Amino acid sequence: MNRLLADLRIVEISAFVAAPLGGMTMAQMGAEVIRIDPIGGGIDHFRWPVAENGTSLYWAGLNKAKRSVALALHKTEGRELAQALATAPGPGGGIVLTNLPPLPGLDYASLKAKRADVILLRLLGNRDGSAAVDYTVNAASGFPLVTGSGGGAPINHVLPAWDIAAGLYLAMALLAAERHRTQTGAGQEVVAALADVALGMVGHLGYIGDIRINGTSRPALGNDLYGSFGRDFGLKDGRRIMVIALTPRQWRGLGRATGLADKFAEACARLGADPDTEAGRFAARDAIAELLSPWCAARTLAEVETAFAGTGVLWGAFQDFATLVASDPRCSPANPMFSEVDQPGIGPYLMPGLPLDFAASPREPTRPAPRLGQDTDAVLAEVLGLSAVQIGKLHDQGVVAGPGR
């Protein structure tokens, strides 16, 4: 964490991955991010994985460093408080981030009527406003049909890649809109669609052009790298590694490290493939793999690591989450991105912070996610100036709640 955005206040009304990730990214750069949830928790408050007591590790992971306010959003009074928080005066306030359907009083027109320079960032599923989530967007993107070796059912990978990309786009859009407001004094509504994020990347990576220009489509190649050499290999101890040769330097390093340079050259020559080009290495990938497979199969992971050390070979070992957490030094307190955090309702465990180091702002320890409603009273007092008596009445009326609820 750092304090670069400490002058911003963002109200987040969200669920699931994309919008919470966008808000958390801002919070980890110092912005005050106030997440508003319904009393009792929103639709993602108990999402898996969960601790033994049912507390969501997922929710804690995506809401670090935020403040939590619990309001009865089904009541007019609760929505009025949310609107007041969203449009509260101040040079860094008036910013709202959401991926939920707008509630009465929380649409752009209503917010703008209360604060002319308000910024509202909204994430839709599809551009036409119809619902979509990462899994449905990915199904339409083409990627599940080229994931795996082909010939079978599509494989919808479990990484919510489009949610992640959309969340980071939202964070970037928020900063761009706030910069525009600083320069011009004007707020605006910014709308993004999850499907457009995915479709844009399909185009950026050349797959739309491949169809329109070449009339060809990327095939399913398993773990082979498309357009160059890369493949997974089994080792003597049962582990598997991924070996990549994207550049001529990496290719030459692989030949030297394995002692197979001459055999690689002979195999490529027989096929008329130039191994100094990516296209040549891709064309000769099966012949190259036929030579490299027995070399790998005769060695353990430790032996491969020794053989490849300092050679320029690009490679990595496959590992499950348990191995990652137990033995990878990159996922440990040795990495300054991680901190041992005592998360309310769960206990202490390793949590990541911001994966960026800014020279202008020293890194600070990661702050935990709040308990639901933890900051309700403090935010209402600090931002809206409500007295303890007024806040107490709101509790009595069931309009607000603290962490006890």
Side-chain angles (χ1 to χ4, degrees):
M1 288 187 56
N2 59 53
R3 293 290 167 186
L4 288 174
L5 303 180
D7 59 334
L8 295 184
R9 178 191 297 131
I10 300 157
V11 170
E12 177 191 317
I13 306 173
S14 70
F16 300 124
V17 178
L21 175 63
M24 187 187 70
T25 301
M26 296 294 96
Q28 291 191 318
M29 286 192 278
E32 179 188 15
V33 178
I34 300 170
R35 172 161 173 161
I36 298 177
D37 279 295
I39 294 173
I43 53 179
D44 63 341
H45 191 63
F46 300 100
R47 200 177 192 205
W48 282 22
V50 297
E52 287 186 5
N53 64 1
T55 303
S56 173
L57 294 159
Y58 158 92
W59 197 91
L62 282 170
N63 292 286
K64 293 184 290 291
K66 298 178 186 177
R67 306 181 82 183
S68 174
V69 171
L71 303 177
L73 293 173
H74 65 290
K75 296 182 177 182
T76 301
E77 298 87 347
R79 295 193 297 273
E80 288 175 348
L81 286 172
Q83 184 190 74
L85 290 171
T87 58
I95 303 173
V96 183
L97 172 63
T98 186
N99 66 326
L100 300 178
L103 294 167
L106 295 171
D107 59 285
Y108 181 63
S110 299
L111 294 173
K112 187 176 180 181
K114 295 291 184 179
R115 177 168 175 160
D117 67 347
V118 73
I119 296 170
L120 174 63
L121 298 106
R122 286 199 301 128
L123 179 67
L124 309 176
N126 291 303
R127 178 173 283 272
D128 63 5
S130 58
V133 296
D134 190 283
Y135 265 76
T136 60
V137 164
N138 193 55
S141 71
F143 286 104
L145 291 169
V146 297
T147 301
S149 300
I155 300 174
N156 225 357
H157 59 76
V158 298
L159 174 70
W162 311 125
D163 276 338
I164 293 169
L168 298 177
Y169 265 121
L170 288 172
M172 181 176 62
L174 188 156
L175 293 176
E178 200 277 332
R179 186 169 188 265
H180 177 263
R181 185 175 71 176
T182 299
Q183 293 173 335
T184 67
Q188 61 181 301
E189 182 178 26
V190 182
V191 181
L194 186 65
D196 284 353
V197 172
L199 293 171
M201 192 54 66
V202 175
H204 298 333
L205 294 174
Y207 299 130
I208 293 175
D210 204 16
I211 298 291
R212 298 296 296 273
I213 302 301
N214 301 322
T216 58
S217 178
R218 171 179 174 158
L221 298 169
N223 285 332
D224 279 11
L225 177 65
Y226 184 51
S228 190
F229 178 74
R231 185 173 288 188
D232 62 311
F233 295 91
L235 304 182
K236 183 179 180 181
D237 55 6
R239 297 293 298 273
R240 295 195 73 81
I241 61 172
M242 190 74 189
V243 180
I244 304 287
L246 275 173
T247 68
R249 177 177 175 274
Q250 292 164 359
W251 169 246
R252 291 190 293 270
L254 180 62
R256 288 193 300 269
T258 60
L260 296 172
D262 291 341
K263 292 184 178 180
F264 285 159
E266 292 171 5
C268 291
R270 285 196 302 270
L271 295 170
D274 181 1
D276 288 330
T277 67
E278 287 193 78
R281 294 191 292 275
F282 182 69
R285 64 189 184 280
D286 289 334
I288 296 168
E290 188 176 348
L291 294 167
L292 188 54
S293 290
W295 185 92
C296 291
R299 290 164 174 80
T300 64
L301 180 61
E303 290 169 338
V304 168
E305 187 171 10
T306 299
F308 286 167
T311 65
V313 175
L314 184 60
W315 74 287
F318 288 89
Q319 58 188 13
D320 57 20
F321 293 133
T323 305
L324 170 69
V325 174
S327 60
D328 194 322
R330 295 170 296 184
C331 184
S332 75
N335 183 343
M337 183 180 75
F338 284 95
S339 302
E340 195 78 16
V341 177
D342 191 1
Q343 176 60 45
I346 297 175
Y349 66 101
L350 198 65
M351 279 188 169
L354 192 70
L356 299 168
D357 291 312
F358 288 88
S361 184
R363 180 184 291 276
E364 297 181 6
T366 299
R367 295 207 313 269
R371 292 174 293 167
L372 184 68
Q374 174 179 307
D375 306 292
T376 299
D377 292 9
V379 168
L380 294 178
E382 294 168 16
V383 179
L384 301 184
L386 299 187
S387 68
V389 172
Q390 290 172 308
I391 295 171
K393 288 181 178 179
L394 291 170
H395 278 279
D396 293 341
Q397 294 164 0
V399 176
V400 306
R405 293 289 300 275

